[in-house]
Amino acid sequence: LGGKVSGAALPSVSCAVDTVGSYAIENAVTGKLFVILFNKATTFTTVPGLINGPMTSQIGLHYSFSSGVPLAADTVVYVSQQGSFTVVLPPRSAHLLVFSV
């Protein structure tokens, strides 16, 4: 079981680098934007996000990894018309958000 994310790295900024790490990759061939988030904190963390650019859907898919749980579908992420979204990350967890752009 495996998978990969490929494409061009995009600028990604965390407003709290000691708490949340972030990476963004756009695959122009598939039209997907992958956002990878790491919650380094020992507490739940609310993370606001902003996608700059056009999107083909206002709904993203949210997958999570945490201790004892391999990659699993979590929830959907709703993106506003302005490109903003919010996700809540459990302590010490990793997340993959997939958007259509």
Side-chain angles (χ1 to χ4, degrees), residues 5-89:
V5 172
S6 63
L10 298 175
S12 175
V13 178
S14 173
C15 60
V17 294
D18 291 335
T19 304
V20 177
S22 64
Y23 302 90
I25 299 135
E26 181 180 15
N27 186 311
V29 174
T30 63
K32 299 294 182 194
L33 171 65
F34 302 96
V35 177
I36 303 168
L37 301 170
F38 298 95
N39 183 11
K40 303 178 230 177
T42 57
T43 58
F44 280 84
T45 303
T46 299
V47 177
L50 178 65
I51 298 171
N52 291 317
M55 297 183 63
T56 60
S57 174
Q58 300 306 120
I59 298 174
L61 302 175
H62 180 186
Y63 300 90
S64 62
F65 311 78
S66 58
S67 65
V69 180
L71 175 65
D74 196 330
T75 59
V76 295
V77 178
Y78 296 98
V79 182
S80 75
Q81 292 292 330
Q82 295 76 30
S84 63
F85 63 91
T86 302
V87 291
V88 177
L89 309 180

